[in-house]
Amino acid sequence: MAVRWNTGANHGSPQTRGRVCHDRRVHHVYSCPMRWADMDSQGHVNNVTYADYFREARLAAGEAARIVRIELEYRAPLVFRPEPVLVESSVFGSRTGGDSVLEQQIVDLREDGGRTVYARARSVLVRTRGRLPAVTPSAGTVPKAVRW
């Protein structure tokens, strides 16, 4: 699996919940293997599997914060092939504490130099000190530590 890191500043900062994130961007590219079991009866990657690909890339990048919000945008169907797909990830915000925004996309680099984007995701990550309380169905409410 190929993994590349690029760290830079002044690449622009997205806004999250009305606040501008810190001016820090970390870029990571993960080569994600496809599995035959990822396919649905239509012959393409099941929509839920895209979220798994994004999670694999996030963990490969060492990003272990808790996701409190995720938005997925499906752009094109992805069919099985032996070559892996690329998952590009960019983190905006603080890596030492506080909220961060993780933007990811599943892409293919074509021979003509173009790119095909299959899906995009935008996640809000939260880092806390210590463990977050578990949310169980019997709790009835969401603990303050994990509320939006």
Side-chain angles (χ1 to χ4, degrees):
M1 290 176 244
V3 175
R4 295 190 303 264
W5 276 103
N6 293 318
T7 303
N10 300 323
H11 290 278
S13 301
Q15 290 192 357
T16 175
R17 295 176 56 203
R19 297 184 320 255
V20 176
C21 292
H22 299 19
D23 195 23
R24 185 157 201 280
R25 179 179 180 174
V26 177
H27 187 70
H28 176 261
V29 178
Y30 172 68
S31 182
C32 185
M34 297 180 70
R35 299 162 292 267
W36 183 254
D38 296 344
M39 301 302 118
D40 62 15
S41 61
Q42 306 297 316
H44 53 72
V45 172
N46 187 294
N47 284 355
V48 174
T49 305
Y50 287 93
D52 286 338
Y53 291 172
F54 290 129
R55 180 186 55 83
E56 287 179 36
R58 183 173 55 86
L59 295 175
E63 195 59 57
R66 189 163 294 210
I67 293 178
V68 294
R69 181 180 176 148
I70 186 168
E71 299 171 8
L72 294 171
E73 176 188 355
Y74 302 101
R75 313 243 331 152
L78 178 60
V79 297
F80 180 79
R81 81 279 183 110
E83 301 83 25
V85 293
L86 300 178
V87 181
E88 299 175 338
S89 304
S90 297
V91 177
F92 300 88
S94 173
R95 290 184 61 90
T96 59
D99 294 0
S100 296
V101 174
L102 172 65
E103 292 182 349
Q104 296 177 291
Q105 56 185 7
I106 298 172
V107 299
D108 226 354
L109 304 178
R110 298 191 309 259
E111 290 181 15
D112 66 1
R115 297 162 48 93
T116 301
V117 178
Y118 296 103
R120 290 189 174 133
R122 182 179 172 98
S123 307
V124 176
L125 309 174
V126 174
R127 289 167 184 79
T128 62
R129 293 186 176 137
R131 290 186 55 185
L132 288 175
V135 178
T136 60
S138 61
T141 60
V142 178
K144 286 184 180 180
V146 294
R147 279 190 207 152
W148 181 247

